[in-house]
Amino acid sequence: AETGKLHRKLAIVRVYFRIGQKFTRYDYVPQLDAGSTLLVSLDSPPHGGPTYAAIASGRYDRGIRAFLQGVNQAAVTHHLAAIYVSFEHEANLPGHSRLGSPAEFVRAWHHIHRLAHLSHLNWRQGGRLHWVLILMQEAYVPRARQPGWARNEGQAANYWPGRWQADIVAADGYNSGGCRGVHVRGYRAPGRTVTSPEQLFGPVVSFARAHDNAPVFVSEWGTVPYKVQ
């Protein structure tokens, strides 16, 4: 509905799936027909989903391979040169620790990337898949400036699968204004501490520059209302 107000198509549409779900060429046909491509997450639910170790063991290969083939086929069918995929976005959030350690996350990422490689789905093998590492923006902040919840192995370097495994670095960042969880009469209280886009996303740009000048996506973003003094 927003595209009419923008007077242009969306270049990339952000979508979310879980391991065990299928992706077919019929998913998101209107967007794909309009010339948009997709940024697709394939996640393991923090509660009840397969662990990173189980994924790396190959137990879920059949379903994951079929999913990636479906994403690639969507790009082929709709004549898209690139379509973007990510495994377990926001893996640095505390709730994801049940799935495994950052090192186990990297092993699972390598395994899934290899499945795509062996099926010639990655762009380097003539496929259409480009891989995007998506973390909460706090992962890219120097450890001394990280919030308490992010300091337990929360550094982006611990989740980095390597430049040949991740084509793009991305961050989800929210301008919460220091009032997360605060509501007044059913409405979220207006923020009082402005966080600039540079403060939110400057660290991911610096990380990308230090890792072979990788491209950067801002994969999720938003802000609470602000009370102007």
Side-chain angles (χ1 to χ4, degrees), residues 202-221:
V204 68
V205 173
S206 297
F207 181 90
R209 285 174 178 165
H211 291 77
D212 296 324
N213 286 313
V216 172
F217 280 178
V218 174
S219 41
E220 290 182 19
W221 54 273

Side-chain angles (χ1 to χ4, degrees), residues 68-90:
L68 296 175
Q69 288 170 338
V71 174
N72 187 76
Q73 185 57 49
V76 172
T77 300
H78 294 273
H79 309 290
L80 300 172
I83 197 164
Y84 302 96
V85 290
S86 178
F87 167 62
E88 202 59 43
H89 82 288
E90 299 181 353

Side-chain angles (χ1 to χ4, degrees), residues 8-127:
R8 64 173 177 83
K9 69 176 178 65
L10 297 173
I12 302 175
V13 177
R14 184 83 172 89
V15 300
Y16 305 83
F17 287 82
R18 290 181 172 180
I19 290 175
Q21 293 182 310
K22 295 181 179 180
F23 189 102
T24 74
R25 66 186 181 88
Y26 301 106
D27 288 311
Y28 301 99
V29 164
Q31 293 83 7
L32 295 169
D33 278 344
S36 299
T37 190
L38 302 178
L39 170 52
V40 185
S41 276
L42 179 61
D43 295 345
S44 180
H47 302 288
T51 64
Y52 298 145
I55 293 167
S57 74
R59 192 181 308 172
Y60 297 89
D61 282 5
R62 184 174 181 179
I64 292 172
R65 185 185 296 110
F67 182 89
L68 296 175
Q69 288 170 338
V71 174
N72 187 76
Q73 185 57 49
V76 172
T77 300
H78 294 273
H79 309 290
L80 300 172
I83 197 164
Y84 302 96
V85 290
S86 178
F87 167 62
E88 202 59 43
H89 82 288
E90 299 181 353
N92 60 312
L93 281 177
H96 292 248
S97 61
R98 188 204 64 80
L99 299 175
S101 67
E104 289 172 320
F105 164 82
V106 171
R107 285 194 288 272
W109 180 291
H110 285 176
H111 183 79
I112 293 173
H113 188 275
R114 179 170 170 77
L115 289 178
H117 174 88
L118 293 175
S119 297
H120 302 282
L121 304 177
N122 295 332
W123 69 274
R124 296 180 192 275
Q125 288 81 46

Side-chain angles (χ1 to χ4, degrees), residues 154-206:
Q155 289 293 112
N158 295 327
Y159 297 90
W160 178 238
R163 187 67 174 88
W164 287 87
Q165 301 271 338
D167 303 300
I168 296 153
V169 181
D172 291 351
Y174 289 91
N175 186 12
S176 60
C179 64
R180 182 177 296 172
V182 177
H183 292 78
V184 178
R185 296 180 182 176
Y187 295 92
R188 184 174 292 279
R192 296 180 182 275
T193 306
V194 175
T195 304
S196 71
E198 182 179 1
Q199 288 172 303
L200 280 174
F201 300 113
V204 68
V205 173
S206 297

